[in-house]
Amino acid sequence: FFVNEDGTKVPRPRTRKERMCMAYREAESARWELRLGMAAMVDKEVGHKNTLTKVLQEMDTAQREVKEVRWANKVLHKDLEEAVAAAQKPVVCPNCANNGAGDRDQQQQQQQQRPAS
């Protein structure tokens, strides 16, 4: 800088060689900034792609889990229907199921157990 008589600072005039060197450095730094910006955009796109892949995998896993739970629910529902049907059937003792033959056997057993008077 040059200091003028009034005290203000003024940059000194540059030679052509210095101006050319400064322009070259400016262009070089602009190229590096452009490369850095492009790398950041590519990195951002790759990050979005990875995030999208991760979300798709999680969604696929969730869908398979829902499918498994629905299948298990169907199996449990069928088991419940079978249990309800079994509970609604009348209970018949094995002796009574033999067309009354069990009744005669029971009567004979009861008579044998009674003391003779």
Side-chain angles (χ1 to χ4, degrees), residues 1 11-19 22:
F1 286 98
R12 70 174 176 80
R14 305 286 182 195
T15 63
R16 181 178 188 280
K17 185 177 181 180
E18 286 178 312
R19 289 193 311 267
M22 287 169 39

Side-chain angles (χ1 to χ4, degrees), residues 31-85:
R31 284 191 297 269
W32 281 108
E33 287 177 12
L34 179 64
R35 288 179 187 148
L36 184 62
M38 289 173 61
M41 286 187 282
V42 168
D43 187 45
K44 185 178 178 181
E45 289 177 11
V46 168
H48 285 306
K49 191 173 184 179
N50 288 340
T51 302
L52 181 63
T53 303
K54 184 175 159 184
V55 167
L56 287 174
Q57 287 175 346
E58 289 176 1
M59 186 180 74
D60 184 49
T61 302
Q63 286 178 342
R64 281 188 276 122
E65 288 172 350
V66 167
K67 186 177 177 181
E68 182 74 19
V69 168
R70 286 183 178 159
W71 173 81
N73 190 24
K74 286 180 184 178
V75 170
L76 289 173
H77 194 272
K78 287 180 184 177
D79 289 346
L80 176 65
E81 288 176 354
E82 290 174 3
V84 167

